[in-house]
Amino acid sequence: MIRLHVAQPLSPAAPVAPTLDQSRYLTQVMRLKVGDELLVFNGRDGEWRTSVAEVLKKDVILRAEEQVRTQTLGPDLELIVAVVKKARVETIVEKAAELGARRVRLVLTKRTNADRIRLDRLDAIAEEAAEQTGRMDVPVIENPVKLDALLDGWEAGRRLMFCDETGGAPAITALQNSPSPRGGGASARSDDGVGAAPQSSPSSPGPPHPASAAHQPPSPDGEGEGRAKWAILIGPEGGFSPEEGERLRSLPFTTAVSLGPRILRADTAAIAAMTLWQAAIGDWDR
């Protein structure tokens, strides 16, 4: 069944107005008519079965019928990505949404040299991936901030899994032996021999992206109990500078890991790191 992410509150018989683009998709692509059903979610009120109540000239009006799933969230995992080429960043955001990241933070390093990033485009990619994967929230995509600012504003209690290209324990072993009860992150090397490392996320290193507030999911009672907060950092083309690498390795909340003997591009590294994290200590045990 079709799933849509919407902004409005959801409750019995509540009217729901999709965006113009969503309305065109429902009527012109999927050919829905009055009475047809679809699922909607807003990241706060769970997932609802709705029906098409009206088809107007440009808009569609839906009516919420019943809640089919209560609101849940996955582990508190952030993916932190040094800005690389636009196409690779878009792939990373899509896969981060599919693999359960709650947030994607973009960082600028000393060796960052990449295309201009369109946050509205990344928001749309994250939203579509969330709709297709069945998750009930959309990852927040944050404005780019400098790496130093990110580390200076580090959030208390969040672990960092740092994939150290100079050495580290195998990721699965390091995660399972982590001092935190549950949680982890990983980094890797990036494009064309690039270094990438997982890193933590701060509470508020810079101004939030305007869409973040709308996408920010609540924290339901009991959700995530026993699971630590983690972050994964993927580095820039050319890797981190020696000074950046030294600082990352010195952090007290860091778990250094290896993603294997091969050099991975940024998008491959992000997928591999998140997969290892989820397999070791994420929500794949549900």
Side-chain angles (χ1 to χ4, degrees):
M1 186 178 289
I2 298 169
R3 296 182 80 242
L4 284 186
H5 175 256
V6 298
Q8 296 98 325
L10 298 171
S11 60
V16 179
T19 66
L20 288 178
D21 286 343
Q22 289 174 327
S23 294
R24 282 194 291 268
Y25 168 73
L26 294 177
T27 58
Q28 298 178 20
V29 178
M30 302 308 296
R31 305 291 183 181
L32 295 191
K33 300 179 176 57
V34 172
D36 288 342
E37 295 184 340
L38 63 153
L39 299 173
V40 302
F41 65 102
N42 61 9
R44 303 180 302 277
D45 302 320
E47 183 174 71
W48 286 71
R49 179 176 60 83
T50 65
S51 62
V52 178
E54 295 182 74
V55 177
L56 307 175
K57 186 174 181 180
K58 293 184 178 180
D59 300 327
V60 171
I61 304 299
L62 308 176
R63 181 176 59 248
E65 303 289 354
E66 66 171 341
Q67 187 185 64
V68 295
R69 287 197 292 166
T70 58
Q71 185 66 41
T72 59
L73 296 176
D76 192 346
L77 173 65
E78 298 185 345
L79 180 64
I80 303 171
V81 184
V83 179
V84 291
K85 293 181 177 66
K86 179 177 70 174
R88 297 198 186 281
V89 171
E90 291 181 353
T91 297
I92 289 168
V93 167
E94 178 183 69
K95 302 312 175 187
E98 293 179 11
L99 287 166
R102 286 198 196 178
R103 286 165 293 277
V104 177
R105 297 186 186 274
L106 304 176
V107 293
L108 305 173
T109 69
K110 292 183 179 179
R111 294 176 179 172
T112 296
N113 181 17
D115 300 336
R116 178 174 171 271
I117 295 298
R118 284 186 52 193
L119 288 174
D120 60 336
R121 167 70 176 160
L122 298 182
D123 283 335
I125 290 171
E127 184 176 54
E128 182 177 351
E131 290 170 345
Q132 293 177 348
T133 57
R135 63 184 289 176
M136 289 189 289
D137 64 313
V138 176
V140 176
I141 314 300
E142 297 286 357
N143 283 310
V145 298
K146 291 183 178 180
L147 178 61
D148 284 340
L150 181 83
L151 297 177
D152 290 343
W154 184 265
E155 178 184 0
R158 185 174 296 277
R159 296 289 305 173
L160 159 64
M161 184 165 113
F162 172 46
C163 181
D164 188 352
E165 59 192 57
T166 67
I172 293 288
T173 301
L175 286 169
Q176 291 175 338
N177 294 332
S178 165
S180 297
R182 297 182 65 86
S187 92
R189 298 189 60 158
S190 195
D191 294 34
D192 302 321
V194 198
Q199 155 179 285
S200 89
S201 84
S203 51
S204 57
H209 172 42
S212 297
H215 286 177
Q216 183 64 48
S219 198
D221 293 341
E223 186 68 21
E225 287 183 4
R227 296 180 188 270
K229 297 184 290 186
W230 280 82
I232 295 172
L233 169 67
I234 303 300
E237 297 181 5
F240 292 103
S241 70
E243 296 79 12
E244 290 170 335
E246 182 178 355
R247 182 177 185 188
L248 287 166
R249 286 188 288 273
S250 71
L251 296 172
F253 42 79
T254 294
T255 298
V257 305
S258 168
L259 291 184
R262 285 166 290 280
I263 294 173
L264 305 179
R265 293 180 182 272
D267 46 350
T268 307
I271 295 168
M274 291 192 65
T275 299
L276 289 167
W277 190 91
Q278 286 284 24
I281 52 177
D283 63 0
W284 286 7
D285 58 351
R286 291 185 180 178

